[in-house]
Amino acid sequence: MNEKNIIKRLDPPQFLLLIFLTFIFIGTLLLKLPFATSEHITVLNALFTATSAMTVTGLIVVDTGTAFTLFGQIVILLLIQLGGLGIMTFAVFIFLMAGRKIGFKEHVLITQSLNQNSIGGVIILAKKLLVFSIIVETIVFTLLSIRWVPILGWKGGLFASLFHSISAFNNAGFSTWSDSLSRFIGDPIINIIITFSFILGGIGFTVIFDIWKKKTFGKFSLHTKLMVVGTIVINIISIIFVLSLEFDNPNTIGNLPLGDKIQASYFQALTPRTAGFNTLEIASLNDSTLFFIILLMFIGAGSASTGGGIKLTTFLALMLSVSSFIKKESEISIFQRAITDSTVVRSLAITVIGVTFVFIGIFILDITENASFIMIVFEAVSAFGTVGLSMGLTGNLTSVGKIIIITIMVIGKVGPLTLAFSIANHKKVNVRYAREEILTG
């Protein structure tokens, strides 16, 4: 059986997972080239970096700015761009290039990931996504250049602007500076530009295009309404929480002027939604703040976006279903629209599978790593949410720990449900059984 026939026998989730892993493998080989690094790195560290870039996570075991040459950093940028948009934007083209007929299974997979109703619409959307990403990244690159070229010079300023514009929009969190963006903690221009970029990338492209097309809130789809309102509410709550919890912490914002406190809280409250940049030392945050950030990282960004996590709409669907159950309402509704039972079941499946993988990862890491429990939990959830924030554990991971984090990053990016579909043995059952209640709670 030749390779083409083997590929055709794969289910759509298996095929996309294979593509994703193939790019990681190619990235690993490129990062191991002698001229890609300025110091020796192991194959495992190259694999970790390639996976972190392809999954747009941002966790690093070696310093991006010093361990990699210009070539190596460009490879990382390409992996970030492919990872941020690849599974969604390039899926259609990869199917066609592989000589595969886009049938019903592919239709279901692609339309679900891009929130479309037809293959024609998906192809059009894929093209729009590519153009949209280039436009946004160009705008962010230009604005950052205006700020950084006078400081870093033409060469340093332009490359730093290019690197961070791609990294920010794709919610990767990679930086050429070892302290991420800590040096700009009180710079309102950088704070606004970077957060604007990763919010656009993380809210979901279907939401952006829906807003652009329909203009008024009342005409938006239910998904768009939930994402817009949910994003605003969760961001405001996050800013208030971080500011109040860290206000008197001398190791973070306690000694800063009020204006810088607000800016630092604003930035650090928004980055757990899978962006991964930091202007504060994460390990210095209070435990209460860390716990809250863990929750934000697990929730993640929006569907059909560059971010990870279980997704905000998944979380909202579960919260709405709980509220509806407590109120004994006959259906789950919001904005005068009812949410289907299948949506709730899918949301529950995504969350349970995600929790299961994260729990297994935490359990193994707790055995293999010499670190506090909260550091391990933070690292595992950051990997699953493809966030990239770390309390400092990443660089000290054992070989087993690195493999576990690599696995969690892939699961977080591909999606727990997609991964479950790719390894499940699908059997059609024609038997229907009698229903019976069981005791719960």
Side-chain angles (χ1 to χ4, degrees), residues 151-382:
I151 300 175
L152 305 172
W154 282 103
K155 183 179 179 180
L158 289 176
F159 184 73
S161 301
L162 175 66
F163 193 97
H164 288 86
S165 64
I166 294 175
S167 182
F169 178 71
N170 290 285
N171 278 245
F174 273 89
S175 176
T176 52
W177 298 304
S178 57
D179 62 349
S180 189
L181 298 176
S182 296
R183 64 190 68 184
F184 302 105
I185 187 173
D187 190 322
I189 297 176
I190 300 302
N191 277 272
I192 292 173
I193 293 173
I194 295 295
T195 53
F196 169 79
S197 182
F198 67 65
I199 287 174
L200 271 183
I203 199 171
F205 302 111
T206 52
V207 173
I208 298 295
F209 295 140
D210 194 34
I211 294 173
W212 181 270
K213 182 179 179 180
K214 298 178 181 176
K215 310 297 183 184
T216 58
F217 185 83
K219 296 180 180 179
F220 294 160
S221 68
L222 179 59
H223 174 80
T224 299
K225 290 178 180 179
L226 284 174
M227 277 304 305
V228 171
V229 175
T231 297
I232 293 173
V233 171
I234 199 169
N235 284 347
I236 292 175
I237 292 174
S238 300
I239 294 169
I240 294 173
F241 266 57
V242 173
L243 179 61
S244 59
L245 293 173
E246 294 296 317
F247 195 86
D248 295 322
N249 185 351
N251 297 317
T252 54
I253 66 174
N255 297 323
L256 296 177
L258 181 60
D260 288 355
K261 284 184 179 183
I262 295 173
Q263 286 191 73
S265 300
Y266 160 79
F267 191 91
Q268 211 55 67
L270 268 55
T271 53
R273 301 285 310 289
T274 83
F277 292 108
N278 64 281
T279 56
L280 297 175
E281 181 65 36
I282 301 300
S284 299
L285 295 170
N286 291 320
D287 286 352
S288 54
T289 310
L290 292 171
F291 184 78
F292 180 70
I293 289 177
I294 288 172
L295 174 62
L296 293 178
M297 292 192 298
F298 186 77
I299 294 173
S303 299
S305 73
T306 59
I310 63 171
K311 304 298 188 293
L312 179 58
T313 44
T314 302
F315 174 75
L316 292 176
L318 292 178
M319 293 299 99
L320 289 170
S321 65
V322 171
S323 174
S324 178
F325 176 78
I326 293 174
K327 295 177 181 178
K328 297 183 178 181
E329 295 174 339
S330 58
E331 61 180 9
I332 305 166
S333 61
I334 188 170
F335 297 124
Q336 298 180 330
R337 291 290 185 275
I339 298 176
T340 63
D341 292 339
S342 61
T343 299
V344 176
V345 172
R346 185 168 65 249
S347 299
L348 182 61
I350 291 170
T351 305
V352 171
I353 296 171
V355 169
T356 301
F357 279 121
V358 170
F359 179 84
I360 294 172
I362 292 171
F363 180 77
I364 298 174
L365 290 172
D366 198 39
I367 297 173
T368 61
E369 308 308 308
N370 182 23
S372 65
F373 185 68
I374 193 167
M375 287 183 71
I376 290 172
V377 173
F378 195 95
E379 193 83 7
V381 176
S382 179

Side-chain angles (χ1 to χ4, degrees), residues 92-113:
V92 175
F93 302 111
I94 292 171
F95 275 124
L96 297 176
M97 288 174 63
R100 294 198 65 185
K101 181 180 179 181
I102 301 179
F104 178 74
K105 291 183 179 179
E106 290 84 354
H107 178 93
V108 172
L109 177 63
I110 298 171
T111 52
Q112 181 181 0
S113 64

Side-chain angles (χ1 to χ4, degrees), residues 1 43 55 66 115 146 175 181 255 314:
M1 185 180 295
V43 174
T55 59
T66 58
N115 197 28
I146 294 173
S175 176
L181 298 176
N255 297 323
T314 302

Side-chain angles (χ1 to χ4, degrees), residues 55-105:
T55 59
V56 292
T57 302
L59 291 173
I60 56 172
V61 286
V62 292
D63 187 74
T64 306
T66 58
F68 294 100
T69 62
L70 177 62
F71 175 82
Q73 292 173 6
I74 291 175
V75 170
I76 291 173
L77 273 187
L78 290 175
L79 290 173
I80 290 172
Q81 189 73 78
L82 285 172
L85 301 174
I87 295 299
M88 298 169 291
T89 306
F90 301 112
V92 175
F93 302 111
I94 292 171
F95 275 124
L96 297 176
M97 288 174 63
R100 294 198 65 185
K101 181 180 179 181
I102 301 179
F104 178 74
K105 291 183 179 179

Side-chain angles (χ1 to χ4, degrees), residues 81 85 128-139 169:
Q81 189 73 78
L85 301 174
K128 286 183 178 180
L129 294 186
L130 191 58
V131 173
F132 177 74
S133 65
I134 292 173
I135 292 174
V136 173
E137 289 171 357
T138 301
I139 294 173
F169 178 71

